[in-house]
Amino acid sequence: MSSISIAPTVDFFKPSCLPIADSVFPACCRSTILFLVSFDSNMLEWCLPGDMNLEGVEFKAMASGSHRVSSDFIYFRKGGYFGLACFANMAVDSVVERGARMKSVGILSTSYTLLYRYMSFLEHQVRLQLKTPGQYSPLEAFFEDKRSVLPPDGESVVTACPGSAWGAALNHCMHPEMKITHPAGCMSQFIQFFGEQIMVLWKLALLRRRILIFSPPPVGVVCYRVYCCCCLANVSIPGVGVAVPEFRPFFYVNVADIDTLDTELSYVACTTEKIFEEKRDLYDVYVDNQNVRTTRESLKPLLRLSAADREKYRKLTEQRQMLLYSQEENGDCVSSEEDHFILFFLEQNNRIFQTLSEVAGRPEPILTQESVRAMGLDPHGDRLFLLHLLETYGYDSLLVTEHPCCS
């Protein structure tokens, strides 16, 4: 029997694949978008460069239902760009504005990994725009200051728009440097929020399924759940995943993105619009609060935790508690929960694919109970997950007996 061959591929999550230009300054500062939003209309108020086609960005920079919250931040994708927008809502004594003034200030870039650096600037500017509308000089100064370090290809944009602006061009790399405004860290919140269900999301992410997360506003913390889901699928072994669809983060999506999502084979996104729940052809997995659901019969068994899942989660929480204790007792400020979280799943994923590669290279590439345990999986409880994994990643030539994990 012939063993499988594994072609080289790009590791979409490996820090070393981050473009050098990003380490200096992301190509995001050629678009700052501000816009004024009322209860029944959105409008792009101002942007730089002024000749950019930002049609529809006003609907992305303010999540549906945001009029119910005083402030929020939103990561999103628009065409070939990613964006970050900071939204704020202020009560005003104005019949024309219906008693509320809402704006977002945002930035677009070809990479989202460093957008967090401009969070405080955007938050300050949106508050300024609410109090003194039309004062664009700080935004213009910001744009001029950053333009000098931008590449001359003209593919970056800084924009300011009433109601919202943000963006970041698609990048085929992900990087665990995206910090957040919450002191506890987004990974810690992610673990606490989902608990053992993290192991279910891990399997679905590794299988490159289409995952849609629903939550009412504010949506900022939910955008970080999208990021955390992507981190679950990190693999750093060269040659793994060449034929697998890229697990693309879309962050916030709304009804205007339905046609785009309909063509995607693999993604993770979040929305505040409940109508998506009825659009079952657009997603494989629907996450509502801590409830992970699917209408795909082949995936339903994967929603049940295996013994190996519970053991991995126990180790994850145990190691996390040890890290927190070390930080408290020894003042360890170097190790972070984010790094621990990312490395935990990276090592688990590498362990799986390293074992599969070794088995595939044997004269008789047969998966045994021992080799499945070597992956950190349950030979019985993870059998269906393993079969999905072999199919997804093209390990077709592995010999499978009638009871593939029990020989």
Side-chain angles (χ1 to χ4, degrees), residues 82 287 294 353 397 401:
F82 284 105
V287 182
T294 182
F353 289 107
S397 299
T401 62

Side-chain angles (χ1 to χ4, degrees), residues 284-320:
D284 300 312
V285 180
Y286 187 81
V287 182
D288 185 347
N289 204 17
Q290 287 103 332
N291 300 316
V292 182
R293 306 199 302 265
T294 182
T295 58
R296 305 284 188 268
E297 292 299 325
S298 63
L299 295 180
K300 286 182 178 180
L302 300 185
L303 303 186
R304 295 192 294 269
L305 292 170
S306 68
D309 290 333
R310 289 191 167 89
E311 176 62 16
K312 280 191 284 289
Y313 182 73
R314 186 193 65 78
K315 289 181 179 179
L316 175 64
T317 53
E318 185 179 81
Q319 292 175 17
R320 176 173 172 266

Side-chain angles (χ1 to χ4, degrees), residues 66-77:
S66 289
H67 60 277
R68 300 187 185 96
V69 300
S70 60
S71 63
D72 200 1
F73 63 94
I74 312 163
Y75 281 88
F76 66 92
R77 175 186 157 194

Side-chain angles (χ1 to χ4, degrees), residues 207-221:
L207 292 176
R208 299 296 195 261
R209 294 306 189 249
R210 299 173 299 169
I211 302 174
L212 183 62
I213 304 173
F214 167 79
S215 177
V219 75
V221 67

Side-chain angles (χ1 to χ4, degrees), residues 22 38 84 98 146 180 249 266 268 310 351 369 386:
D22 260 1
S38 64
L84 169 64
R98 302 186 180 185
K146 302 305 181 184
I180 70 168
S266 175
V268 56
R310 289 191 167 89
R351 182 180 176 185
Q369 192 170 7
L386 182 57

